Amino acid sequence: MQNQLLESKTLSAQQIAVSLVVIMVVAILVLSNLWRSSSPYTQEVLALQGDATLGHAIFQMNCSGCHGLQAQGRVGPNLHSVAKRKSRPALIEQVTSGSTPPMPQFHPSPHEMAALLSYLETL
Ligand code: HEC
C-alpha cells in the first residue's frame, strides 16, 4: 500500500517534469518565431503585397537552377506546398540567411522578397 503511494508520487513528479519540458520547448519555439518575425526587414516584407508574377520571374532566374523550373526539385527540394510547411518568416529566413548550404544567401529587396513569397504560396 505504502509502495503504491510512493510510486504514484514519483509518477506525478515525472509528469510534472515532462510538462515543464514541453512548456519550455513551446516557449522557445514561440519566442524564436517572434524574434525571427520581428526583424525590420521581415516586418517590411510582410507588410507588402507581393506580386507573384514578378516572384515567378525572380525564381526562374535565381532559384530554378537548383529547385527546377516548375519548383519540382533538382539539387534543392521540391517546393510545392512549401508555404504550408513553413511560416512566412521561416521562408524569408530560408532565402536570406544562407544557413542551409549549398543554398546560397540571397539579398532580395523587401519588394522582391514579398514577390517571391507570393510566388511560393502559389505552389
Ligand atoms: C545552389 C542551389 C540552390 C539555389 C540557387 C536555391 N536553393 Fe533553395 N534550397 C537548396 C537546398 C539544397 C535546400 C535544402 C536545404 C536544407 O534544408 O538542407 C533548399 C531549401 C529551400 C527551401 C526550404 C524547402 C523546405 O522544404 O523546407 C526553400 C523555401 C527554398 N530553398 C527556396 C529557394 C528560393 C526562393 C531560391 C531563390 C531565391 C532558392 N531556394 C535558391 C538549394 C538551392
Side-chain angles (χ1 to χ4, degrees), residues 58-59 61-67 75-80 82-83 85-86 90-91 94-95 99-104 106 108 113 116 119-120:
I58 296 172
F59 184 88
M61 282 186 283
N62 297 281
C63 323
S64 61
C66 289
H67 290 285
V75 182
N78 182 319
L79 296 180
H80 289 263
V82 72
R85 296 195 298 275
K86 290 201 152 165
L91 288 172
Q94 172 74 44
V95 172
S99 60
T100 59
M103 180 161 153
F106 290 93
M113 186 65 238
L116 265 175
Y119 171 67
L120 290 175

Side-chain angles (χ1 to χ4, degrees), residues 1 34 47 52 54 56 62 70 73 81-83 92 94 96 101 103 108 110:
M1 192 57 190
L34 275 180
L54 174 65
H56 189 194
N62 297 281
Q70 316 299 328
S81 315
V82 72
I92 296 172
Q94 172 74 44
T96 59
M103 180 161 153

Side-chain angles (χ1 to χ4, degrees), residues 6 8 14 16 20 23 29 56 65 83 97 99 106 110 112-113:
L6 274 179
S8 73
Q14 250 178 8
I16 291 172
L20 280 179
I23 290 170
L29 285 177
H56 189 194
S97 72
S99 60
F106 290 93
E112 291 164 339
M113 186 65 238

Side-chain angles (χ1 to χ4, degrees), residues 34-51:
L34 275 180
W35 178 76
R36 260 208 303 239
S37 53
S38 70
S39 94
Y41 175 83
T42 303
Q43 288 299 329
E44 204 178 334
V45 173
L46 294 178
L48 290 170
Q49 182 73 47
D51 172 356

